[in-house]
Amino acid sequence: MARRKKKSRKNSSRNSVLTVAIFLVLCAIIVMAWKRLPNDENTHSSVAHAPSSTMSGESLLRVIIPDTIPSQIVDYTGMTLSFNARRHTPNWVAWELTGDETTGTVKRSSTFYNDPNVAGCPETYDYLYSGYDRGHMAPAADMKWSADAMKETFYLTNICPQDHKLNIGSWNNLEEKCRALAQIDSAIIIISGPLYLHPTKEFLGDNRVEVPSHFFKVILSPYSEQPSAIAFLIANSSHTEGLQKSATSINNIESLTGYDFFSALPNDVEEELEAQNDFMKWNRYITSNKRKTQKRN
């Protein structure tokens, strides 16, 4: 009986060691398998290393332009712009638009202003009887969240001579789509400006404000589940082709202007986003999600 009891204790000890070893192996397998599971960052977007929500909108508003282009950087309440004192128009105007900002209650201003702090800023009378609208690059309707921001969109540093039918047509339509997109994606980055693709033939007023041949707008949704981007190149004419035919890639706008947009993005992300040019997908995304938003409200 004594031997049997001793043998029983020995077997019990071996079984305990074996049980512990099997348990540790199973734990190691579970941990390794858990580490291999895709995390949220990888499943949210098809874009590798998508921009973090902690990336500041300010860093995405920076535009690098050639040194040969006259430029005075002006920081306003709701927008940042580069002003060209030779052409008397902005090189570019950049702003971040959030969904909340689109529902502001500030009433639209109707008075245009000269900004005395910016060299080369035209006067309001330069546009009188010109046949052109004072076209906003950053629209007043995007600044309804602040009286100061609203007023500053009427500084002539943010204005270009624009064909009237374009201003109330395709250009206005694009601005409305941007506001709808901001409501869907929580925040977007917009950069807009004039282009002079042909020798300038028209000048307005005593200050000889140059009339652009085209306008561009680049739009980035950096914080959505699937980051996206698109650009538009629109002729300054009443005979516009519509937004679908005006859609292009940011890469194309960069090649036409020599500008570098969104350089703060990781290189692989920047390359992928700036090559995108799918208007149908972009427009369908806005339309379908806008309907869902309206139903919820």
Side-chain angles (χ1 to χ4, degrees):
M1 292 295 294
R3 288 180 182 176
R4 194 173 297 164
K5 189 175 183 181
K6 188 175 181 180
K7 185 176 180 181
S8 176
R9 286 177 178 173
K10 186 175 181 179
N11 288 340
S12 176
S13 177
R14 287 179 178 176
N15 289 339
S16 297
V17 171
L18 181 61
T19 300
V20 171
I22 292 173
F23 175 77
L24 292 175
V25 170
L26 288 174
C27 287
I29 293 173
I30 291 171
V31 170
M32 291 177 66
W34 178 80
K35 287 184 176 180
R36 292 179 181 177
L37 288 174
N39 57 33
D40 290 341
E41 181 181 357
N42 293 332
T43 56
H44 280 330
S45 172
S46 62
V47 179
H49 310 297
S52 168
S53 60
T54 60
M55 176 176 286
S56 69
E58 184 178 352
S59 67
L60 296 173
L61 297 178
R62 299 171 188 153
V63 182
I64 300 172
I65 68 175
D67 294 335
T68 55
I69 299 176
S71 172
Q72 179 180 346
I73 301 298
V74 187
D75 291 312
Y76 290 116
T77 304
M79 61 185 177
T80 298
L81 61 82
S82 163
F83 191 76
N84 189 319
R86 186 180 66 214
R87 298 189 188 275
H88 308 288
T89 59
N91 294 312
W92 53 262
V93 182
W95 66 104
E96 181 179 41
L97 180 64
T98 69
D100 291 340
E101 288 171 346
T102 65
T103 59
T105 58
V106 175
K107 293 183 178 180
R108 180 184 175 90
S109 176
S110 58
T111 304
F112 290 86
Y113 307 88
N114 163 273
D115 188 339
N117 297 315
V118 179
C121 181
E123 301 288 346
T124 56
Y125 56 73
D126 285 317
Y127 283 80
L128 290 178
Y129 312 112
S130 68
Y132 285 94
D133 284 5
R134 299 177 181 94
H136 286 74
M137 294 299 95
D142 284 10
M143 307 297 171
K144 293 184 294 184
W145 50 275
S146 163
D148 288 338
M150 169 70 76
K151 177 182 177 180
E152 289 167 351
T153 65
F154 285 84
Y155 277 131
L156 292 169
T157 49
N158 178 49
I159 302 300
C160 293
Q162 192 168 53
D163 181 271
H164 175 69
K165 288 187 178 179
L166 171 62
N167 190 19
I168 65 172
S170 295
W171 195 252
N172 181 65
N173 185 21
L174 182 54
E175 290 172 344
E176 290 178 348
K177 287 185 179 297
C178 286
R179 285 189 283 274
L181 182 62
Q183 292 175 351
I184 297 165
D185 286 346
S186 76
I188 62 175
I189 304 296
I190 310 169
I191 306 174
S192 182
L195 284 176
Y196 299 86
L197 301 184
H198 313 299
T200 305
K201 296 181 180 180
E202 292 186 84
F203 301 83
L204 306 187
D206 294 340
N207 284 297
R208 293 182 61 77
V209 181
E210 292 195 36
V211 178
S213 64
H214 294 75
F215 293 97
F216 74 84
K217 183 166 286 189
V218 300
I219 304 156
L220 173 69
S221 294
Y223 310 125
S224 62
E225 290 188 356
Q226 185 171 336
S228 64
I230 197 169
F232 293 86
L233 175 64
I234 304 178
N236 190 14
S237 166
S238 57
H239 304 290
T240 59
E241 295 180 326
L243 292 182
Q244 183 172 349
K245 290 188 177 180
S246 299
T248 186
S249 67
I250 296 175
N251 282 339
N252 186 39
I253 301 300
E254 288 184 329
S255 68
L256 291 172
T257 60
Y259 299 174
D260 183 7
F261 302 104
F262 311 128
S263 59
L265 292 172
N267 288 337
D268 56 339
V269 178
E270 182 182 4
E271 290 175 4
E272 183 168 347
L273 289 173
E274 293 187 352
Q276 292 180 2
N277 178 19
D278 191 338
F279 175 80
M280 295 300 292
K281 180 179 179 181
W282 183 79
N283 190 54
R284 186 166 56 248
Y285 173 77
I286 294 174
T287 303
S288 61
N289 283 281
K290 184 178 179 180
R291 290 172 181 168
K292 293 178 183 177
T293 303
Q294 290 173 342
K295 288 181 179 178
R296 286 197 299 268
N297 295 336

